[in-house]
Amino acid sequence: MPNLQPYQNPTYFVWLIGGLIPLMIGLLRGKRWRLYETGLSLAFLLLTFGAEKYHQGLALVAYVIFEVALLYLYLHYRQKHNSGWIFTAAVALAIAPLVMVKLTPFIFGKASLLGFLGISYLTFKVVGIVMEIRDGAIKELKFFELVHFILFFPTISSGPIDRYRRFLSDYQTVVSKDEYLEMLEKGVHNIFLGFLYKFILAYLFGTVWLPQVGHLALAHGGFSWWLVLYMYVYAMDLFFDFAGYSLFAVGISYFMGVKTPINFNKPFLAPNIKEFWNRWHMSLSFWFRDYIYMRFVFFVMKNKLLQDRILISQVGYLVLFLIMGFWHGLTWYYIVYGLYHALAIIICDMWLRFKKKHRLPHNKATKALGVVITFNTVCLSFLIFSGFLDKLFF
Amino acid sequence: MQTTILDILEDLTASDEVRNNLDLNLFETGLLDSMATVQLLLELQSQCGIEVPVSEFDRSAWDTPNKIIKQVERLS
């Protein structure tokens, strides 16, 4: 049996589109053929997690059984009680497999047996459900739909991170023919734009230019114009590669009648860093905003742990971006990347308050200046993130 | 109810625009952010006695003064 990684090569797309056609015919006729869809999902999961990757497949099965059992247990508990400690324990257990997978290489020097492609993204979805059960926003779980949500194959490897209630409402309704035709059109558009991004632009920036520029920067050593160029080339590669992948994932979801949220919205045109995070890897930053930042701020304010509201928001940003940094990996440059963004957004907030207070002018020129500053701030953060400085200086 | 909400919003945004245009998009204009949103939820709790968990806060359903008023009326 062959092994195919999602969206990596033309063969995958040929099989995928072929497999989706019956499903699309069904949706056009107002029917969601669940049995077929389930079979198709299993087949594609097997393609990705079968053959030589079977150990990942086993880890995935074990993971899903564990997390689903945990969700049911917590829901059962939450129907009668609501202790903050049990909630904290449920979140800790939900992230435990991910933490182990992240820590194992650091401690034992080899990859964990529990790891599989996409474990982070599945964990984000599960933790979101735990939090919404706590809030009473999720009062029941539907087993089949829950497993389908967690294992939704178009987004399994790297998101975008959808939300259970949103997914469920898409999955339980079949859109009208006109609306579905519109979704197909958007899907096709996304997939072709994805081809341009991932297979042409990311290829040029990442596979052709990046190694050359990197080589020159290393040969020169220290700070050089090659390093500056490396920074921009890396930023472009990162964007086109991930945005391209995300376009595929969203496009294929649309074909399946599911409106998976988008991940990128012209991030390099953001006028400030705060706005940048509303446009870059959006499903992740919104996840962090809703499930970490807002809950942290809510908790601190409600329990009056800190008085100064500005300070609360600054501590919130530090918590958010440090967790994001640690999630990327236990390496100095990921942690510094997190701190850097926390500081950038704190400074941005100070500036926005200053600007409001002194009624500073706001026009096209100031906005353009903002875009340039933001773009360069972000590119520098990606250079830190790339780990290239680690190679260059250490 | 409407006056209470508009008072809270005016206080949070430090701007009277919220009174003049009830369909103003509070997030796109930068008048509200996540921090101010949490303050709004806490104020609604203490002044109007309605509990809105963070999970129920979907930006697109809460992005104008009018929509916020509608949400509060629905929840109270």
Side-chain angles (χ1 to χ4, degrees):
Chain A
M1 197 177 74
N3 181 285
L4 286 177
Q5 295 302 301
Y7 314 118
Q8 288 301 319
N9 58 41
T11 321
Y12 184 85
F13 282 92
V14 172
W15 288 38
L16 182 58
I17 302 298
L20 284 173
I21 285 173
L23 190 71
M24 287 152 81
I25 293 171
L27 285 166
L28 271 174
R29 298 167 74 185
K31 292 202 173 63
R32 189 181 280 283
W33 289 325
R34 289 194 174 199
L35 199 64
Y36 179 80
E37 185 169 357
T38 308
L40 184 75
S41 299
L42 286 175
F44 274 88
L45 289 171
L46 260 176
L47 268 182
T48 303
F49 296 102
E52 72 260 26
K53 304 256 181 192
Y54 79 95
H55 50 282
Q56 282 200 28
L58 293 176
L60 175 66
V61 171
Y63 176 89
V64 172
I65 293 172
F66 172 76
E67 299 287 352
V68 169
L70 175 70
L71 287 172
Y72 270 95
L73 271 174
Y74 183 62
L75 180 71
H76 181 73
Y77 166 83
R78 182 62 185 84
Q79 279 160 350
K80 294 188 189 72
H81 316 278
N82 187 15
S83 147
W85 291 108
I86 299 290
F87 164 69
T88 313
V91 172
L93 281 172
I95 62 170
L98 176 64
V99 172
M100 280 193 262
V101 167
K102 291 268 176 189
L103 283 178
T104 304
F106 193 68
I107 299 169
F108 300 104
K110 57 176 184 186
S112 165
L113 288 174
L114 298 175
F116 58 87
L117 175 76
I119 183 170
S120 293
Y121 292 89
L122 268 56
T123 305
F124 287 126
K125 293 202 258 192
V126 172
V127 173
I129 298 176
V130 174
M131 299 218 184
E132 296 195 9
I133 291 176
R134 167 116 217 251
D135 277 356
I138 294 176
K139 290 190 172 67
E140 59 165 346
L141 292 170
K142 294 176 187 293
F143 178 78
F144 179 81
E145 285 81 353
L146 175 66
V147 175
H148 191 55
F149 167 68
I150 296 176
L151 286 174
F152 189 56
F153 81 89
T155 62
I156 196 150
S157 61
S158 307
I161 306 156
D162 204 352
R163 311 271 171 112
Y164 175 70
R165 285 183 293 159
R166 205 215 60 74
F167 178 87
L168 196 63
S169 77
D170 274 9
Y171 191 67
Q172 284 176 329
T173 49
V174 178
V175 294
S176 69
K177 192 175 172 181
D178 287 342
E179 202 184 329
Y180 184 61
L181 283 172
E182 217 171 280
M183 287 174 77
L184 284 181
E185 203 180 307
K186 277 188 192 160
V188 170
H189 173 82
N190 275 4
I191 289 166
F192 277 92
L193 193 61
F195 283 139
L196 172 70
Y197 278 19
K198 188 153 170 83
F199 296 129
I200 298 176
L201 293 169
Y203 175 79
L204 279 177
F205 282 106
T207 312
V208 180
W209 294 326
L210 196 68
Q212 296 175 6
V213 178
H215 188 73
L216 289 164
L218 282 173
H220 190 284
F223 289 102
S224 63
W225 287 108
W226 292 118
L227 181 62
V228 177
L229 188 60
Y230 185 92
M231 173 175 95
Y232 291 121
V233 174
Y234 180 81
M236 290 301 128
D237 175 42
L238 194 63
F239 171 71
F240 286 117
D241 187 68
F242 198 18
Y245 158 81
S246 300
L247 284 166
F248 294 147
V250 172
I252 296 299
S253 303
Y254 272 53
F255 284 0
M256 296 173 71
V258 172
K259 290 181 187 137
T260 292
I262 60 164
N263 244 354
F264 293 90
N265 178 21
K266 305 188 182 85
F268 294 143
L269 294 180
N272 63 49
I273 201 81
K274 209 169 171 180
E275 185 54 27
F276 170 79
W277 281 106
N278 284 330
R279 294 156 169 252
W280 175 270
H281 201 178
M282 294 150 74
S283 68
L284 180 81
S285 62
F286 294 169
W287 191 95
F288 273 90
R289 178 191 74 196
D290 295 347
Y291 295 115
I292 295 188
Y293 178 85
M294 284 181 71
R295 271 155 222 271
F296 172 83
V297 168
F298 194 90
F299 183 79
V300 171
M301 288 178 73
K302 196 169 181 189
N303 295 293
K304 302 194 168 56
L305 301 179
L306 287 171
Q307 291 301 327
D308 184 349
R309 288 177 177 179
I310 292 171
L311 184 65
I312 297 174
S313 105
Q314 292 171 341
V315 176
Y317 286 133
L318 273 170
V319 169
L320 184 165
F321 283 105
L322 272 178
I323 294 178
M324 196 189 273
F326 278 104
W327 165 65
H328 277 300
L330 286 168
T331 323
W332 72 266
Y333 44 85
Y334 290 144
I335 320 286
V336 171
Y337 169 80
L339 277 174
Y340 177 101
H341 270 288
L343 285 180
I345 212 162
I346 288 170
I347 293 168
C348 173
D349 253 0
M350 286 174 169
W351 165 249
L352 290 175
R353 277 194 299 275
F354 181 83
K355 192 176 154 192
K356 200 170 179 179
K357 194 173 159 195
H358 296 274
R359 294 175 189 278
L360 295 184
H362 181 82
N363 53 43
K364 275 190 178 160
T366 61
K367 199 178 163 190
L369 183 64
V371 171
V372 172
I373 294 174
T374 307
F375 175 67
N376 284 283
T377 308
V378 164
C379 287
L380 181 56
S381 81
F382 291 158
L383 179 65
I384 299 169
F385 179 84
S386 73
F388 189 70
L389 296 177
D390 193 60
K391 265 196 249 167
L392 192 61
F393 293 113
F394 299 105
Chain B
M1 184 62 87
Q2 178 158 351
T3 12
T4 323
I5 295 168
L6 290 177
D7 284 344
I8 298 172
L9 285 176
E10 190 175 356
D11 186 39
L12 283 176
T13 58
S15 151
D16 54 9
E17 280 175 79
V18 289
R19 260 181 223 287
N20 303 329
N21 178 4
L22 294 180
D23 290 312
L24 186 70
N25 190 308
L26 300 165
F27 292 102
E28 277 173 19
T29 49
L31 287 166
L32 279 190
D33 59 7
S34 310
M35 179 72 193
T37 302
V38 173
Q39 285 171 264
L40 171 68
L41 299 185
L42 288 166
E43 289 300 327
L44 288 178
Q45 205 168 48
S46 64
Q47 294 190 33
C48 311
I50 60 158
E51 292 253 1
V52 188
V54 180
S55 293
E56 293 294 351
F57 183 87
D58 170 5
R59 271 197 190 202
S60 59
W62 291 77
D63 55 7
T64 69
N66 262 336
K67 285 192 193 170
I68 294 174
I69 292 163
K70 213 190 266 173
Q71 288 289 343
V72 172
E73 279 167 356
R74 183 178 68 87
L75 290 161
S76 55

mmCIF file of all heavy atoms in Angstrom, chain A residues 58-76:
data_model
loop_
_atom_site.group_PDB
_atom_site.id
_atom_site.type_symbol
_atom_site.label_atom_id
_atom_site.label_comp_id
_atom_site.label_asym_id
_atom_site.label_seq_id
_atom_site.Cartn_x
_atom_site.Cartn_y
_atom_site.Cartn_z
ATOM 1 N N LEU A 58 -1.051 3.880 14.670
ATOM 2 C CA LEU A 58 -1.408 3.277 15.961
ATOM 3 C C LEU A 58 -1.449 4.345 17.046
ATOM 4 O O LEU A 58 -2.362 4.373 17.887
ATOM 5 C CB LEU A 58 -0.389 2.185 16.335
ATOM 6 C CG LEU A 58 -0.400 0.945 15.437
ATOM 7 C CD1 LEU A 58 0.705 -0.026 15.847
ATOM 8 C CD2 LEU A 58 -1.767 0.248 15.507
ATOM 9 N N ALA A 59 -0.473 5.254 17.024
ATOM 10 C CA ALA A 59 -0.445 6.332 18.016
ATOM 11 C C ALA A 59 -1.691 7.200 17.879
ATOM 12 O O ALA A 59 -2.288 7.615 18.883
ATOM 13 C CB ALA A 59 0.819 7.183 17.837
ATOM 14 N N LEU A 60 -2.106 7.443 16.632
ATOM 15 C CA LEU A 60 -3.301 8.259 16.385
ATOM 16 C C LEU A 60 -4.545 7.585 16.963
ATOM 17 O O LEU A 60 -5.361 8.228 17.637
ATOM 18 C CB LEU A 60 -3.468 8.486 14.871
ATOM 19 C CG LEU A 60 -4.730 9.213 14.420
ATOM 20 C CD1 LEU A 60 -4.727 10.656 14.904
ATOM 21 C CD2 LEU A 60 -4.859 9.194 12.901
ATOM 22 N N VAL A 61 -4.675 6.273 16.718
ATOM 23 C CA VAL A 61 -5.841 5.548 17.231
ATOM 24 C C VAL A 61 -5.874 5.618 18.759
ATOM 25 O O VAL A 61 -6.905 5.942 19.368
ATOM 26 C CB VAL A 61 -5.821 4.075 16.752
ATOM 27 C CG1 VAL A 61 -6.905 3.267 17.454
ATOM 28 C CG2 VAL A 61 -6.013 4.019 15.232
ATOM 29 N N ALA A 62 -4.719 5.357 19.382
ATOM 30 C CA ALA A 62 -4.650 5.395 20.845
ATOM 31 C C ALA A 62 -5.003 6.797 21.351
ATOM 32 O O ALA A 62 -5.754 6.951 22.326
ATOM 33 C CB ALA A 62 -3.247 5.006 21.311
ATOM 34 N N TYR A 63 -4.483 7.801 20.669
ATOM 35 C CA TYR A 63 -4.734 9.189 21.061
ATOM 36 C C TYR A 63 -6.230 9.505 21.017
ATOM 37 O O TYR A 63 -6.791 10.065 21.958
ATOM 38 C CB TYR A 63 -3.963 10.125 20.112
ATOM 39 C CG TYR A 63 -4.227 11.588 20.349
ATOM 40 C CD1 TYR A 63 -3.453 12.314 21.244
ATOM 41 C CD2 TYR A 63 -5.253 12.250 19.671
ATOM 42 C CE1 TYR A 63 -3.694 13.655 21.475
ATOM 43 C CE2 TYR A 63 -5.499 13.597 19.898
ATOM 44 C CZ TYR A 63 -4.717 14.293 20.797
ATOM 45 O OH TYR A 63 -4.965 15.624 21.024
ATOM 46 N N VAL A 64 -6.878 9.132 19.921
ATOM 47 C CA VAL A 64 -8.296 9.469 19.763
ATOM 48 C C VAL A 64 -9.139 8.750 20.821
ATOM 49 O O VAL A 64 -10.031 9.351 21.425
ATOM 50 C CB VAL A 64 -8.784 9.146 18.329
ATOM 51 C CG1 VAL A 64 -10.288 9.305 18.221
ATOM 52 C CG2 VAL A 64 -8.095 10.062 17.326
ATOM 53 N N ILE A 65 -8.825 7.471 21.080
ATOM 54 C CA ILE A 65 -9.577 6.746 22.115
ATOM 55 C C ILE A 65 -9.418 7.462 23.458
ATOM 56 O O ILE A 65 -10.394 7.726 24.166
ATOM 57 C CB ILE A 65 -9.082 5.273 22.227
ATOM 58 C CG1 ILE A 65 -9.450 4.518 20.950
ATOM 59 C CG2 ILE A 65 -9.690 4.581 23.459
ATOM 60 C CD1 ILE A 65 -8.870 3.123 20.852
ATOM 61 N N PHE A 66 -8.189 7.830 23.794
ATOM 62 C CA PHE A 66 -7.916 8.501 25.062
ATOM 63 C C PHE A 66 -8.668 9.826 25.168
ATOM 64 O O PHE A 66 -9.362 10.092 26.153
ATOM 65 C CB PHE A 66 -6.400 8.728 25.191
ATOM 66 C CG PHE A 66 -6.015 9.577 26.365
ATOM 67 C CD1 PHE A 66 -6.021 9.052 27.656
ATOM 68 C CD2 PHE A 66 -5.650 10.907 26.197
ATOM 69 C CE1 PHE A 66 -5.674 9.840 28.748
ATOM 70 C CE2 PHE A 66 -5.308 11.703 27.280
ATOM 71 C CZ PHE A 66 -5.321 11.161 28.558
ATOM 72 N N GLU A 67 -8.564 10.670 24.137
ATOM 73 C CA GLU A 67 -9.158 12.007 24.216
ATOM 74 C C GLU A 67 -10.690 11.939 24.219
ATOM 75 O O GLU A 67 -11.344 12.693 24.944
ATOM 76 C CB GLU A 67 -8.674 12.893 23.055
ATOM 77 C CG GLU A 67 -7.169 13.133 23.020
ATOM 78 C CD GLU A 67 -6.644 14.096 24.095
ATOM 79 O OE1 GLU A 67 -7.455 14.714 24.811
ATOM 80 O OE2 GLU A 67 -5.410 14.212 24.220
ATOM 81 N N VAL A 68 -11.243 11.037 23.406
ATOM 82 C CA VAL A 68 -12.704 10.936 23.362
ATOM 83 C C VAL A 68 -13.236 10.446 24.705
ATOM 84 O O VAL A 68 -14.221 10.979 25.234
ATOM 85 C CB VAL A 68 -13.156 10.030 22.192
ATOM 86 C CG1 VAL A 68 -14.636 9.693 22.304
ATOM 87 C CG2 VAL A 68 -12.889 10.721 20.854
ATOM 88 N N ALA A 69 -12.543 9.462 25.298
ATOM 89 C CA ALA A 69 -12.957 8.969 26.617
ATOM 90 C C ALA A 69 -12.887 10.097 27.640
ATOM 91 O O ALA A 69 -13.802 10.288 28.454
ATOM 92 C CB ALA A 69 -12.066 7.801 27.039
ATOM 93 N N LEU A 70 -11.814 10.879 27.570
ATOM 94 C CA LEU A 70 -11.646 12.000 28.497
ATOM 95 C C LEU A 70 -12.788 13.009 28.344
ATOM 96 O O LEU A 70 -13.367 13.477 29.332
ATOM 97 C CB LEU A 70 -10.294 12.682 28.230
ATOM 98 C CG LEU A 70 -10.012 13.954 29.026
ATOM 99 C CD1 LEU A 70 -9.791 13.607 30.495
ATOM 100 C CD2 LEU A 70 -8.801 14.691 28.478
ATOM 101 N N LEU A 71 -13.132 13.334 27.091
ATOM 102 C CA LEU A 71 -14.204 14.305 26.856
ATOM 103 C C LEU A 71 -15.528 13.808 27.426
ATOM 104 O O LEU A 71 -16.258 14.564 28.070
ATOM 105 C CB LEU A 71 -14.345 14.596 25.355
ATOM 106 C CG LEU A 71 -13.236 15.452 24.742
ATOM 107 C CD1 LEU A 71 -13.373 15.518 23.227
ATOM 108 C CD2 LEU A 71 -13.267 16.857 25.327
ATOM 109 N N TYR A 72 -15.829 12.518 27.202
ATOM 110 C CA TYR A 72 -17.090 11.979 27.730
ATOM 111 C C TYR A 72 -17.106 11.977 29.242
ATOM 112 O O TYR A 72 -18.103 12.299 29.876
ATOM 113 C CB TYR A 72 -17.353 10.576 27.169
ATOM 114 C CG TYR A 72 -18.147 10.643 25.882
ATOM 115 C CD1 TYR A 72 -17.507 10.630 24.650
ATOM 116 C CD2 TYR A 72 -19.536 10.785 25.909
ATOM 117 C CE1 TYR A 72 -18.230 10.735 23.478
ATOM 118 C CE2 TYR A 72 -20.264 10.884 24.737
ATOM 119 C CZ TYR A 72 -19.610 10.867 23.515
ATOM 120 O OH TYR A 72 -20.323 10.983 22.366
ATOM 121 N N LEU A 73 -15.965 11.607 29.838
ATOM 122 C CA LEU A 73 -15.889 11.585 31.299
ATOM 123 C C LEU A 73 -16.094 12.988 31.852
ATOM 124 O O LEU A 73 -16.845 13.191 32.801
ATOM 125 C CB LEU A 73 -14.513 11.062 31.742
ATOM 126 C CG LEU A 73 -14.399 9.565 31.913
ATOM 127 C CD1 LEU A 73 -12.955 9.175 32.216
ATOM 128 C CD2 LEU A 73 -15.329 9.099 33.041
ATOM 129 N N TYR A 74 -15.419 13.968 31.251
ATOM 130 C CA TYR A 74 -15.539 15.330 31.767
ATOM 131 C C TYR A 74 -16.961 15.867 31.575
ATOM 132 O O TYR A 74 -17.514 16.512 32.466
ATOM 133 C CB TYR A 74 -14.506 16.270 31.114
ATOM 134 C CG TYR A 74 -14.587 17.656 31.709
ATOM 135 C CD1 TYR A 74 -14.325 17.850 33.073
ATOM 136 C CD2 TYR A 74 -14.988 18.745 30.953
ATOM 137 C CE1 TYR A 74 -14.448 19.100 33.660
ATOM 138 C CE2 TYR A 74 -15.110 20.007 31.526
ATOM 139 C CZ TYR A 74 -14.837 20.170 32.887
ATOM 140 O OH TYR A 74 -14.963 21.412 33.455
ATOM 141 N N LEU A 75 -17.549 15.570 30.428
ATOM 142 C CA LEU A 75 -18.930 16.014 30.188
ATOM 143 C C LEU A 75 -19.871 15.404 31.225
ATOM 144 O O LEU A 75 -20.735 16.089 31.785
ATOM 145 C CB LEU A 75 -19.377 15.611 28.778
ATOM 146 C CG LEU A 75 -20.802 16.015 28.410
ATOM 147 C CD1 LEU A 75 -20.906 17.522 28.223
ATOM 148 C CD2 LEU A 75 -21.265 15.313 27.139
ATOM 149 N N HIS A 76 -19.679 14.126 31.496
ATOM 150 C CA HIS A 76 -20.499 13.423 32.475
ATOM 151 C C HIS A 76 -20.361 14.092 33.846
ATOM 152 O O HIS A 76 -21.344 14.369 34.535
ATOM 153 C CB HIS A 76 -20.066 11.957 32.549
ATOM 154 C CG HIS A 76 -20.873 11.146 33.514
ATOM 155 N ND1 HIS A 76 -22.164 10.767 33.245
ATOM 156 C CD2 HIS A 76 -20.572 10.668 34.742
ATOM 157 C CE1 HIS A 76 -22.629 10.090 34.278
ATOM 158 N NE2 HIS A 76 -21.693 10.024 35.210
#
